[in-house]
Amino acid sequence: EPEVTQTPSHQVTQMGQEVILRCVPISNHLYFYWYRQILGQKVEFLVSFYNNEISEKSEIFDDQFSVERPDGSNFTLKIRSTKLEDSAMYFCASSEYLFRNQPQHFGDGTRLSIL
Amino acid sequence: SQELEQSPQSLIVQEGKNLTINCTSSKTLYGLYWYKQKYGEGLIFLMMLQKGGEEKSHEKITAKLDEKKQQSSLHITASQPSHAGIYLCGADVGAQKLVFGQGTRLTINP
């Protein structure tokens, strides 16, 4: 069964450094998403992306964050200058159709630890 | 903004017993998703409910969306160790954005 893959599974970075999290969505999916889960808290929406543009973003997704689809398969989340509070599990997801009420399929996540 | 509240927050049951997890929304639900998260891993899609009164089943797991579309329940029959994990409900709040509950941690004792 097709799946969303994320790399790396764990990333340790010094505060202030840039980090790029990578995702390969399911191949025929059109919508892509990033969520994060701080330890012990709810899974939170960060951003949705369609047709090479951001569709929606949350208040968390400030100027330090950016997303990109550099080629036909990868979808990346960049944090420009990491802060301690960026430590979390980051999940990539994708869904097939444009319309509402389509299931989003999630990857296994990247655990980001900021020192 | 829409909020989802799950109950209970954690549940310990004996293997073979039935159990129910509830998800209550602060607003009408237009799409309700159930996911399972194994510890430290990703979210696995279980079921999606859209219509009031809808009920879906997959193996020993049944999910329902009430008529008023503000509450959903997840029922597991004859629980097994493989059912252990964290169950999350998620609501579609538009623009394909999901809002999640805090999760219910399920432990199955042999």
Side-chain angles (χ1 to χ4, degrees), chain A residues 31 33 35 37 42-43 45 48 56 89 91 95 97-104 106-108 111, chain B residues 3-4 30-31 33 35 37 40-43 45 48 50 92-98 100-102:
Chain A
Y31 268 91
Y33 316 84
Y35 290 80
Q37 185 177 32
K42 293 183 180 183
V43 176
F45 170 80
S48 61
E56 181 98 4
M89 183 75 103
F91 293 108
S95 63
Y97 296 122
L98 177 62
F99 305 107
R100 288 185 76 172
N101 299 323
Q102 297 298 322
Q104 295 181 19
F106 285 73
D108 281 344
R111 183 170 299 281
Chain B
E3 298 277 335
L4 295 180
Y30 292 100
Y33 302 79
Y35 287 86
Q37 183 180 25
E41 296 183 12
L43 282 66
F45 171 70
M48 175 178 75
Q50 294 174 258
D92 181 352
V93 295
Q96 298 265 327
K97 168 182 165 182
L98 287 176
F100 286 93
Q102 80 275 28

mmCIF file of all heavy atoms in Angstrom, chain A residues 31 33 35 37 42-43 45 48 56 89 91 95 97-104 106-108 111, chain B residues 3-4 30-31 33 35 37 40-43 45 48 50 92-98 100-102:
data_model
loop_
_atom_site.group_PDB
_atom_site.id
_atom_site.type_symbol
_atom_site.label_atom_id
_atom_site.label_comp_id
_atom_site.label_asym_id
_atom_site.label_seq_id
_atom_site.Cartn_x
_atom_site.Cartn_y
_atom_site.Cartn_z
ATOM 1 N N TYR A 31 -2.812 17.303 -2.513
ATOM 2 C CA TYR A 31 -2.710 18.209 -1.368
ATOM 3 C C TYR A 31 -1.663 17.694 -0.399
ATOM 4 O O TYR A 31 -1.592 16.494 -0.129
ATOM 5 C CB TYR A 31 -4.057 18.283 -0.626
ATOM 6 C CG TYR A 31 -4.964 19.388 -1.096
ATOM 7 C CD1 TYR A 31 -5.883 19.164 -2.110
ATOM 8 C CD2 TYR A 31 -4.907 20.645 -0.524
ATOM 9 C CE1 TYR A 31 -6.729 20.169 -2.530
ATOM 10 C CE2 TYR A 31 -5.751 21.669 -0.931
ATOM 11 C CZ TYR A 31 -6.657 21.420 -1.933
ATOM 12 O OH TYR A 31 -7.484 22.421 -2.358
ATOM 13 N N TYR A 33 0.506 18.543 3.441
ATOM 14 C CA TYR A 33 0.335 19.215 4.733
ATOM 15 C C TYR A 33 1.533 18.953 5.634
ATOM 16 O O TYR A 33 2.193 17.930 5.518
ATOM 17 C CB TYR A 33 -0.906 18.667 5.470
ATOM 18 C CG TYR A 33 -2.113 18.489 4.602
ATOM 19 C CD1 TYR A 33 -2.276 17.333 3.845
ATOM 20 C CD2 TYR A 33 -3.090 19.472 4.532
ATOM 21 C CE1 TYR A 33 -3.379 17.166 3.022
ATOM 22 C CE2 TYR A 33 -4.204 19.299 3.715
ATOM 23 C CZ TYR A 33 -4.337 18.151 2.973
ATOM 24 O OH TYR A 33 -5.424 17.989 2.166
ATOM 25 N N TYR A 35 2.049 19.021 9.929
ATOM 26 C CA TYR A 35 1.508 19.156 11.276
ATOM 27 C C TYR A 35 2.672 18.977 12.237
ATOM 28 O O TYR A 35 3.713 18.409 11.885
ATOM 29 C CB TYR A 35 0.471 18.066 11.567
ATOM 30 C CG TYR A 35 -0.822 18.176 10.819
ATOM 31 C CD1 TYR A 35 -0.930 17.744 9.496
ATOM 32 C CD2 TYR A 35 -1.960 18.696 11.430
ATOM 33 C CE1 TYR A 35 -2.132 17.842 8.808
ATOM 34 C CE2 TYR A 35 -3.171 18.790 10.751
ATOM 35 C CZ TYR A 35 -3.246 18.358 9.437
ATOM 36 O OH TYR A 35 -4.438 18.454 8.760
ATOM 37 N N GLN A 37 3.549 17.968 16.598
ATOM 38 C CA GLN A 37 3.038 17.536 17.895
ATOM 39 C C GLN A 37 4.148 17.728 18.919
ATOM 40 O O GLN A 37 5.130 16.968 18.921
ATOM 41 C CB GLN A 37 2.584 16.075 17.847
ATOM 42 C CG GLN A 37 1.931 15.590 19.122
ATOM 43 C CD GLN A 37 1.432 14.161 19.004
ATOM 44 O OE1 GLN A 37 2.010 13.336 18.303
ATOM 45 N NE2 GLN A 37 0.337 13.858 19.689
ATOM 46 N N LYS A 42 -1.511 18.256 21.701
ATOM 47 C CA LYS A 42 -2.296 17.830 20.544
ATOM 48 C C LYS A 42 -1.487 17.948 19.256
ATOM 49 O O LYS A 42 -0.549 18.751 19.169
ATOM 50 C CB LYS A 42 -3.540 18.719 20.402
ATOM 51 C CG LYS A 42 -4.560 18.564 21.508
ATOM 52 C CD LYS A 42 -5.778 19.438 21.229
ATOM 53 C CE LYS A 42 -6.814 19.294 22.328
ATOM 54 N NZ LYS A 42 -8.038 20.078 22.032
ATOM 55 N N VAL A 43 -1.881 17.202 18.251
ATOM 56 C CA VAL A 43 -1.350 17.383 16.909
ATOM 57 C C VAL A 43 -1.920 18.697 16.371
ATOM 58 O O VAL A 43 -3.140 18.909 16.402
ATOM 59 C CB VAL A 43 -1.761 16.210 16.001
ATOM 60 C CG1 VAL A 43 -1.293 16.456 14.573
ATOM 61 C CG2 VAL A 43 -1.192 14.900 16.535
ATOM 62 N N PHE A 45 -2.077 21.694 13.258
ATOM 63 C CA PHE A 45 -1.915 22.013 11.842
ATOM 64 C C PHE A 45 -0.908 23.149 11.671
ATOM 65 O O PHE A 45 -0.930 24.132 12.423
ATOM 66 C CB PHE A 45 -3.270 22.433 11.272
ATOM 67 C CG PHE A 45 -3.222 23.022 9.897
ATOM 68 C CD1 PHE A 45 -3.122 22.207 8.784
ATOM 69 C CD2 PHE A 45 -3.276 24.397 9.721
ATOM 70 C CE1 PHE A 45 -3.090 22.756 7.513
ATOM 71 C CE2 PHE A 45 -3.242 24.954 8.458
ATOM 72 C CZ PHE A 45 -3.158 24.134 7.353
ATOM 73 N N SER A 48 -1.040 23.913 4.706
ATOM 74 C CA SER A 48 -1.469 23.061 3.598
ATOM 75 C C SER A 48 -0.965 23.681 2.296
ATOM 76 O O SER A 48 -0.799 24.903 2.200
ATOM 77 C CB SER A 48 -2.982 22.877 3.572
ATOM 78 O OG SER A 48 -3.637 24.124 3.413
ATOM 79 N N GLU A 56 -3.387 27.269 3.103
ATOM 80 C CA GLU A 56 -3.785 27.718 4.430
ATOM 81 C C GLU A 56 -2.578 27.567 5.346
ATOM 82 O O GLU A 56 -1.783 26.652 5.167
ATOM 83 C CB GLU A 56 -4.928 26.837 4.939
ATOM 84 C CG GLU A 56 -5.482 27.169 6.289
ATOM 85 C CD GLU A 56 -6.741 28.014 6.214
ATOM 86 O OE1 GLU A 56 -7.224 28.279 5.101
ATOM 87 O OE2 GLU A 56 -7.224 28.406 7.295
ATOM 88 N N MET A 89 7.540 16.596 17.241
ATOM 89 C CA MET A 89 7.432 15.629 16.144
ATOM 90 C C MET A 89 6.711 16.335 15.002
ATOM 91 O O MET A 89 5.648 16.922 15.222
ATOM 92 C CB MET A 89 6.626 14.418 16.611
ATOM 93 C CG MET A 89 6.527 13.331 15.583
ATOM 94 S SD MET A 89 8.054 12.401 15.436
ATOM 95 C CE MET A 89 7.616 10.942 16.341
ATOM 96 N N PHE A 91 4.902 15.986 11.366
ATOM 97 C CA PHE A 91 4.265 15.011 10.490
ATOM 98 C C PHE A 91 3.929 15.645 9.151
ATOM 99 O O PHE A 91 3.377 16.750 9.087
ATOM 100 C CB PHE A 91 2.956 14.494 11.102
ATOM 101 C CG PHE A 91 3.133 13.679 12.340
ATOM 102 C CD1 PHE A 91 2.781 14.194 13.571
ATOM 103 C CD2 PHE A 91 3.643 12.391 12.282
ATOM 104 C CE1 PHE A 91 2.934 13.447 14.724
ATOM 105 C CE2 PHE A 91 3.799 11.633 13.428
ATOM 106 C CZ PHE A 91 3.456 12.162 14.658
ATOM 107 N N SER A 95 -3.247 14.147 0.725
ATOM 108 C CA SER A 95 -4.577 13.647 0.385
ATOM 109 C C SER A 95 -4.765 13.731 -1.122
ATOM 110 O O SER A 95 -4.120 14.521 -1.802
ATOM 111 C CB SER A 95 -5.678 14.412 1.121
ATOM 112 O OG SER A 95 -5.695 15.766 0.753
ATOM 113 N N TYR A 97 -7.648 14.232 -3.245
ATOM 114 C CA TYR A 97 -8.521 15.103 -4.037
ATOM 115 C C TYR A 97 -8.566 16.524 -3.531
ATOM 116 O O TYR A 97 -8.174 16.858 -2.434
ATOM 117 C CB TYR A 97 -9.941 14.537 -4.052
ATOM 118 C CG TYR A 97 -10.041 13.202 -4.736
ATOM 119 C CD1 TYR A 97 -10.526 12.096 -4.059
ATOM 120 C CD2 TYR A 97 -9.637 13.042 -6.060
ATOM 121 C CE1 TYR A 97 -10.622 10.872 -4.683
ATOM 122 C CE2 TYR A 97 -9.728 11.822 -6.681
ATOM 123 C CZ TYR A 97 -10.223 10.735 -5.990
ATOM 124 O OH TYR A 97 -10.317 9.524 -6.600
ATOM 125 N N LEU A 98 -9.142 17.359 -4.383
ATOM 126 C CA LEU A 98 -9.296 18.778 -4.096
ATOM 127 C C LEU A 98 -10.407 19.038 -3.085
ATOM 128 O O LEU A 98 -10.363 19.974 -2.323
ATOM 129 C CB LEU A 98 -9.621 19.501 -5.413
ATOM 130 C CG LEU A 98 -9.895 21.003 -5.380
ATOM 131 C CD1 LEU A 98 -8.672 21.739 -4.886
ATOM 132 C CD2 LEU A 98 -10.286 21.488 -6.754
ATOM 133 N N PHE A 99 -11.407 18.158 -3.084
ATOM 134 C CA PHE A 99 -12.611 18.456 -2.315
ATOM 135 C C PHE A 99 -12.440 18.165 -0.837
ATOM 136 O O PHE A 99 -11.500 17.494 -0.418
ATOM 137 C CB PHE A 99 -13.780 17.643 -2.869
ATOM 138 C CG PHE A 99 -13.980 17.850 -4.328
ATOM 139 C CD1 PHE A 99 -13.635 16.873 -5.232
ATOM 140 C CD2 PHE A 99 -14.501 19.040 -4.797
ATOM 141 C CE1 PHE A 99 -13.804 17.070 -6.585
ATOM 142 C CE2 PHE A 99 -14.677 19.239 -6.153
ATOM 143 C CZ PHE A 99 -14.328 18.255 -7.050
ATOM 144 N N ARG A 100 -13.383 18.632 -0.046
ATOM 145 C CA ARG A 100 -13.364 18.374 1.384
ATOM 146 C C ARG A 100 -13.627 16.908 1.665
ATOM 147 O O ARG A 100 -14.094 16.173 0.833
ATOM 148 C CB ARG A 100 -14.456 19.205 2.068
ATOM 149 C CG ARG A 100 -14.165 20.674 2.125
ATOM 150 C CD ARG A 100 -15.207 21.382 2.914
ATOM 151 N NE ARG A 100 -15.032 21.161 4.339
ATOM 152 C CZ ARG A 100 -15.736 21.804 5.266
ATOM 153 N NH1 ARG A 100 -16.667 22.661 4.907
ATOM 154 N NH2 ARG A 100 -15.527 21.571 6.538
ATOM 155 N N ASN A 101 -13.355 16.564 2.882
ATOM 156 C CA ASN A 101 -13.685 15.241 3.391
ATOM 157 C C ASN A 101 -12.956 14.112 2.674
ATOM 158 O O ASN A 101 -13.535 13.062 2.380
ATOM 159 C CB ASN A 101 -15.197 15.003 3.373
ATOM 160 C CG ASN A 101 -15.919 16.004 4.257
ATOM 161 O OD1 ASN A 101 -15.424 16.365 5.307
ATOM 162 N ND2 ASN A 101 -17.060 16.456 3.807
ATOM 163 N N GLN A 102 -11.733 14.333 2.375
ATOM 164 C CA GLN A 102 -10.873 13.261 1.885
ATOM 165 C C GLN A 102 -9.865 12.937 2.972
ATOM 166 O O GLN A 102 -9.329 13.843 3.607
ATOM 167 C CB GLN A 102 -10.129 13.716 0.620
ATOM 168 C CG GLN A 102 -11.047 14.018 -0.532
ATOM 169 C CD GLN A 102 -11.830 12.801 -0.957
ATOM 170 O OE1 GLN A 102 -11.306 11.689 -0.959
ATOM 171 N NE2 GLN A 102 -13.081 12.985 -1.310
ATOM 172 N N PRO A 103 -9.621 11.654 3.226
ATOM 173 C CA PRO A 103 -8.693 11.331 4.320
ATOM 174 C C PRO A 103 -7.280 11.806 4.013
ATOM 175 O O PRO A 103 -6.829 11.720 2.871
ATOM 176 C CB PRO A 103 -8.764 9.806 4.409
ATOM 177 C CG PRO A 103 -9.294 9.357 3.101
ATOM 178 C CD PRO A 103 -10.169 10.450 2.588
ATOM 179 N N GLN A 104 -6.637 12.308 5.033
ATOM 180 C CA GLN A 104 -5.227 12.641 4.928
ATOM 181 C C GLN A 104 -4.427 11.447 5.439
ATOM 182 O O GLN A 104 -4.754 10.867 6.466
ATOM 183 C CB GLN A 104 -4.914 13.881 5.764
ATOM 184 C CG GLN A 104 -5.619 15.123 5.247
ATOM 185 C CD GLN A 104 -5.298 16.357 6.057
ATOM 186 O OE1 GLN A 104 -4.304 16.403 6.778
ATOM 187 N NE2 GLN A 104 -6.129 17.378 5.930
ATOM 188 N N PHE A 106 -0.825 10.092 6.766
ATOM 189 C CA PHE A 106 0.328 10.658 7.461
ATOM 190 C C PHE A 106 1.570 9.783 7.340
ATOM 191 O O PHE A 106 1.472 8.554 7.266
ATOM 192 C CB PHE A 106 0.001 10.820 8.947
ATOM 193 C CG PHE A 106 -0.904 11.978 9.250
ATOM 194 C CD1 PHE A 106 -2.252 11.930 8.934
ATOM 195 C CD2 PHE A 106 -0.410 13.126 9.851
ATOM 196 C CE1 PHE A 106 -3.091 13.004 9.207
ATOM 197 C CE2 PHE A 106 -1.230 14.200 10.136
ATOM 198 C CZ PHE A 106 -2.576 14.142 9.810
ATOM 199 N N GLY A 107 2.722 10.442 7.389
ATOM 200 C CA GLY A 107 3.987 9.734 7.508
ATOM 201 C C GLY A 107 4.274 9.403 8.963
ATOM 202 O O GLY A 107 3.488 9.751 9.861
ATOM 203 N N ASP A 108 5.417 8.755 9.201
ATOM 204 C CA ASP A 108 5.799 8.359 10.557
ATOM 205 C C ASP A 108 6.408 9.488 11.373
ATOM 206 O O ASP A 108 6.674 9.321 12.553
ATOM 207 C CB ASP A 108 6.776 7.182 10.512
ATOM 208 C CG ASP A 108 6.061 5.864 10.275
ATOM 209 O OD1 ASP A 108 4.826 5.819 10.457
ATOM 210 O OD2 ASP A 108 6.728 4.888 9.900
ATOM 211 N N ARG A 111 11.260 13.422 14.352
ATOM 212 C CA ARG A 111 11.404 13.999 15.691
ATOM 213 C C ARG A 111 12.528 15.024 15.645
ATOM 214 O O ARG A 111 13.681 14.669 15.388
ATOM 215 C CB ARG A 111 11.713 12.911 16.726
ATOM 216 C CG ARG A 111 11.808 13.459 18.141
ATOM 217 C CD ARG A 111 11.877 12.341 19.188
ATOM 218 N NE ARG A 111 10.709 11.500 19.176
ATOM 219 C CZ ARG A 111 9.542 11.795 19.725
ATOM 220 N NH1 ARG A 111 9.393 12.978 20.320
ATOM 221 N NH2 ARG A 111 8.545 10.942 19.687
ATOM 222 N N GLU B 3 -13.122 23.005 18.657
ATOM 223 C CA GLU B 3 -12.344 22.225 19.622
ATOM 224 C C GLU B 3 -12.934 20.823 19.705
ATOM 225 O O GLU B 3 -14.159 20.635 19.657
ATOM 226 C CB GLU B 3 -12.407 22.873 21.007
ATOM 227 C CG GLU B 3 -11.818 24.267 21.083
ATOM 228 C CD GLU B 3 -10.312 24.248 21.261
ATOM 229 O OE1 GLU B 3 -9.784 23.244 21.780
ATOM 230 O OE2 GLU B 3 -9.670 25.247 20.869
ATOM 231 N N LEU B 4 -12.050 19.853 19.863
ATOM 232 C CA LEU B 4 -12.471 18.468 20.052
ATOM 233 C C LEU B 4 -11.998 17.990 21.421
ATOM 234 O O LEU B 4 -10.831 18.183 21.776
ATOM 235 C CB LEU B 4 -11.881 17.554 18.970
ATOM 236 C CG LEU B 4 -12.332 17.793 17.544
ATOM 237 C CD1 LEU B 4 -11.654 16.795 16.611
ATOM 238 C CD2 LEU B 4 -13.837 17.675 17.404
ATOM 239 N N TYR B 30 -18.408 18.366 10.019
ATOM 240 C CA TYR B 30 -18.671 18.131 8.593
ATOM 241 C C TYR B 30 -17.850 16.979 8.048
ATOM 242 O O TYR B 30 -18.059 16.510 6.951
ATOM 243 C CB TYR B 30 -18.437 19.412 7.804
ATOM 244 C CG TYR B 30 -19.476 20.454 8.148
ATOM 245 C CD1 TYR B 30 -19.190 21.482 9.039
ATOM 246 C CD2 TYR B 30 -20.761 20.362 7.624
ATOM 247 C CE1 TYR B 30 -20.160 22.398 9.386
ATOM 248 C CE2 TYR B 30 -21.736 21.281 7.977
ATOM 249 C CZ TYR B 30 -21.428 22.297 8.860
ATOM 250 O OH TYR B 30 -22.393 23.202 9.209
ATOM 251 N N GLY B 31 -16.891 16.561 8.807
ATOM 252 C CA GLY B 31 -16.093 15.389 8.468
ATOM 253 C C GLY B 31 -15.347 15.026 9.732
ATOM 254 O O GLY B 31 -14.693 15.869 10.337
ATOM 255 N N TYR B 33 -12.694 12.204 11.458
ATOM 256 C CA TYR B 33 -11.729 11.172 11.123
ATOM 257 C C TYR B 33 -11.209 10.533 12.410
ATOM 258 O O TYR B 33 -10.940 11.233 13.385
ATOM 259 C CB TYR B 33 -10.545 11.784 10.370
ATOM 260 C CG TYR B 33 -10.942 12.510 9.106
ATOM 261 C CD1 TYR B 33 -11.480 13.791 9.155
ATOM 262 C CD2 TYR B 33 -10.776 11.910 7.866
ATOM 263 C CE1 TYR B 33 -11.844 14.451 8.000
ATOM 264 C CE2 TYR B 33 -11.126 12.567 6.708
ATOM 265 C CZ TYR B 33 -11.670 13.844 6.780
ATOM 266 O OH TYR B 33 -12.029 14.491 5.630
ATOM 267 N N TYR B 35 -8.048 8.269 13.803
ATOM 268 C CA TYR B 35 -6.697 7.796 13.534
ATOM 269 C C TYR B 35 -6.191 7.030 14.743
ATOM 270 O O TYR B 35 -6.612 7.269 15.883
ATOM 271 C CB TYR B 35 -5.733 8.967 13.284
ATOM 272 C CG TYR B 35 -5.903 9.672 11.962
ATOM 273 C CD1 TYR B 35 -6.824 10.695 11.824
ATOM 274 C CD2 TYR B 35 -5.130 9.323 10.863
ATOM 275 C CE1 TYR B 35 -6.984 11.360 10.614
ATOM 276 C CE2 TYR B 35 -5.267 9.979 9.648
ATOM 277 C CZ TYR B 35 -6.199 10.995 9.531
ATOM 278 O OH TYR B 35 -6.342 11.648 8.331
ATOM 279 N N GLN B 37 -2.457 6.120 16.603
ATOM 280 C CA GLN B 37 -1.044 6.475 16.640
ATOM 281 C C GLN B 37 -0.335 5.513 17.575
ATOM 282 O O GLN B 37 -0.664 5.435 18.755
ATOM 283 C CB GLN B 37 -0.858 7.917 17.117
ATOM 284 C CG GLN B 37 0.577 8.391 17.116
ATOM 285 C CD GLN B 37 0.734 9.831 17.583
ATOM 286 O OE1 GLN B 37 -0.097 10.349 18.322
ATOM 287 N NE2 GLN B 37 1.807 10.482 17.156
ATOM 288 N N GLY B 40 5.260 7.064 19.462
ATOM 289 C CA GLY B 40 6.413 7.551 18.725
ATOM 290 C C GLY B 40 6.339 7.369 17.227
ATOM 291 O O GLY B 40 7.335 7.575 16.531
ATOM 292 N N GLU B 41 5.185 6.999 16.712
ATOM 293 C CA GLU B 41 5.069 6.777 15.275
ATOM 294 C C GLU B 41 3.993 7.660 14.676
ATOM 295 O O GLU B 41 3.424 8.516 15.334
ATOM 296 C CB GLU B 41 4.764 5.297 15.006
ATOM 297 C CG GLU B 41 5.883 4.373 15.446
ATOM 298 C CD GLU B 41 5.604 2.923 15.104
ATOM 299 O OE1 GLU B 41 4.662 2.645 14.341
ATOM 300 O OE2 GLU B 41 6.331 2.049 15.612
ATOM 301 N N GLY B 42 3.720 7.431 13.396
ATOM 302 C CA GLY B 42 2.775 8.271 12.675
ATOM 303 C C GLY B 42 1.331 7.911 12.936
ATOM 304 O O GLY B 42 1.019 7.008 13.705
ATOM 305 N N LEU B 43 0.434 8.650 12.298
ATOM 306 C CA LEU B 43 -0.999 8.440 12.448
ATOM 307 C C LEU B 43 -1.491 7.521 11.338
ATOM 308 O O LEU B 43 -1.234 7.770 10.158
ATOM 309 C CB LEU B 43 -1.740 9.776 12.350
ATOM 310 C CG LEU B 43 -1.729 10.691 13.575
ATOM 311 C CD1 LEU B 43 -0.340 11.215 13.907
ATOM 312 C CD2 LEU B 43 -2.697 11.852 13.368
ATOM 313 N N PHE B 45 -4.704 6.119 9.418
ATOM 314 C CA PHE B 45 -6.111 6.423 9.163
ATOM 315 C C PHE B 45 -6.963 5.176 9.408
ATOM 316 O O PHE B 45 -6.669 4.092 8.903
ATOM 317 C CB PHE B 45 -6.273 6.908 7.725
ATOM 318 C CG PHE B 45 -7.694 7.044 7.280
ATOM 319 C CD1 PHE B 45 -8.493 8.042 7.796
ATOM 320 C CD2 PHE B 45 -8.235 6.166 6.354
ATOM 321 C CE1 PHE B 45 -9.817 8.168 7.387
ATOM 322 C CE2 PHE B 45 -9.546 6.288 5.937
ATOM 323 C CZ PHE B 45 -10.336 7.277 6.462
ATOM 324 N N MET B 48 -13.537 7.432 8.321
ATOM 325 C CA MET B 48 -14.026 8.786 8.107
ATOM 326 C C MET B 48 -15.554 8.757 8.144
ATOM 327 O O MET B 48 -16.163 7.882 7.525
ATOM 328 C CB MET B 48 -13.547 9.272 6.736
ATOM 329 C CG MET B 48 -14.066 10.618 6.308
ATOM 330 S SD MET B 48 -13.373 11.079 4.709
ATOM 331 C CE MET B 48 -14.289 10.032 3.607
ATOM 332 N N GLN B 50 -19.149 11.199 7.748
ATOM 333 C CA GLN B 50 -19.590 12.490 7.231
ATOM 334 C C GLN B 50 -21.046 12.791 7.539
ATOM 335 O O GLN B 50 -21.416 13.943 7.717
ATOM 336 C CB GLN B 50 -19.402 12.525 5.715
ATOM 337 C CG GLN B 50 -17.950 12.471 5.287
ATOM 338 C CD GLN B 50 -17.811 12.367 3.778
ATOM 339 O OE1 GLN B 50 -17.559 11.307 3.243
ATOM 340 N NE2 GLN B 50 -17.989 13.472 3.093
ATOM 341 N N ASP B 92 -12.520 17.989 10.158
ATOM 342 C CA ASP B 92 -12.229 18.813 8.989
ATOM 343 C C ASP B 92 -12.851 20.194 9.230
ATOM 344 O O ASP B 92 -14.066 20.312 9.327
ATOM 345 C CB ASP B 92 -12.841 18.149 7.754
ATOM 346 C CG ASP B 92 -12.580 18.923 6.476
ATOM 347 O OD1 ASP B 92 -12.063 20.053 6.540
ATOM 348 O OD2 ASP B 92 -12.902 18.387 5.409
ATOM 349 N N VAL B 93 -12.018 21.225 9.339
ATOM 350 C CA VAL B 93 -12.531 22.574 9.611
ATOM 351 C C VAL B 93 -12.381 23.471 8.381
ATOM 352 O O VAL B 93 -12.365 24.690 8.475
ATOM 353 C CB VAL B 93 -11.858 23.189 10.847
ATOM 354 C CG1 VAL B 93 -12.216 22.386 12.092
ATOM 355 C CG2 VAL B 93 -10.361 23.283 10.701
ATOM 356 N N GLY B 94 -12.238 22.850 7.220
ATOM 357 C CA GLY B 94 -12.155 23.637 5.993
ATOM 358 C C GLY B 94 -10.739 23.753 5.489
ATOM 359 O O GLY B 94 -9.795 23.607 6.248
ATOM 360 N N ALA B 95 -10.582 23.993 4.208
ATOM 361 C CA ALA B 95 -9.266 24.093 3.562
ATOM 362 C C ALA B 95 -8.435 22.852 3.835
ATOM 363 O O ALA B 95 -7.209 22.924 3.916
ATOM 364 C CB ALA B 95 -8.526 25.342 4.017
ATOM 365 N N GLN B 96 -9.127 21.722 3.953
ATOM 366 C CA GLN B 96 -8.471 20.433 4.190
ATOM 367 C C GLN B 96 -7.627 20.443 5.458
ATOM 368 O O GLN B 96 -6.665 19.689 5.586
ATOM 369 C CB GLN B 96 -7.594 20.066 2.984
ATOM 370 C CG GLN B 96 -8.368 19.906 1.700
ATOM 371 C CD GLN B 96 -8.754 18.468 1.427
ATOM 372 O OE1 GLN B 96 -8.014 17.563 1.790
ATOM 373 N NE2 GLN B 96 -9.898 18.241 0.805
ATOM 374 N N LYS B 97 -7.955 21.290 6.402
ATOM 375 C CA LYS B 97 -7.201 21.407 7.642
ATOM 376 C C LYS B 97 -7.882 20.583 8.708
ATOM 377 O O LYS B 97 -9.100 20.648 8.873
ATOM 378 C CB LYS B 97 -7.187 22.889 8.025
ATOM 379 C CG LYS B 97 -6.714 23.239 9.381
ATOM 380 C CD LYS B 97 -6.845 24.757 9.542
ATOM 381 C CE LYS B 97 -6.730 25.160 10.975
ATOM 382 N NZ LYS B 97 -6.907 26.611 11.121
ATOM 383 N N LEU B 98 -7.120 19.791 9.427
ATOM 384 C CA LEU B 98 -7.673 18.966 10.493
ATOM 385 C C LEU B 98 -7.336 19.544 11.856
ATOM 386 O O LEU B 98 -6.202 19.972 12.096
ATOM 387 C CB LEU B 98 -7.121 17.541 10.410
ATOM 388 C CG LEU B 98 -7.634 16.658 9.283
ATOM 389 C CD1 LEU B 98 -6.901 15.320 9.300
ATOM 390 C CD2 LEU B 98 -9.127 16.436 9.383
ATOM 391 N N PHE B 100 -7.395 18.269 15.839
ATOM 392 C CA PHE B 100 -7.413 16.995 16.551
ATOM 393 C C PHE B 100 -7.811 17.136 18.004
ATOM 394 O O PHE B 100 -7.590 18.178 18.635
ATOM 395 C CB PHE B 100 -6.020 16.347 16.490
ATOM 396 C CG PHE B 100 -5.678 15.777 15.146
ATOM 397 C CD1 PHE B 100 -4.997 16.534 14.210
ATOM 398 C CD2 PHE B 100 -6.048 14.480 14.828
ATOM 399 C CE1 PHE B 100 -4.684 16.004 12.959
ATOM 400 C CE2 PHE B 100 -5.736 13.944 13.580
ATOM 401 C CZ PHE B 100 -5.062 14.711 12.649
ATOM 402 N N GLY B 101 -8.362 16.049 18.551
ATOM 403 C CA GLY B 101 -8.524 15.929 19.977
ATOM 404 C C GLY B 101 -7.186 15.602 20.613
ATOM 405 O O GLY B 101 -6.183 15.394 19.909
ATOM 406 N N GLN B 102 -7.195 15.523 21.927
ATOM 407 C CA GLN B 102 -5.929 15.320 22.650
ATOM 408 C C GLN B 102 -5.488 13.859 22.660
ATOM 409 O O GLN B 102 -4.377 13.550 23.065
ATOM 410 C CB GLN B 102 -6.047 15.864 24.091
ATOM 411 C CG GLN B 102 -6.766 14.938 25.060
ATOM 412 C CD GLN B 102 -8.268 15.102 25.012
ATOM 413 O OE1 GLN B 102 -8.858 15.469 24.002
ATOM 414 N NE2 GLN B 102 -8.900 14.827 26.143
#
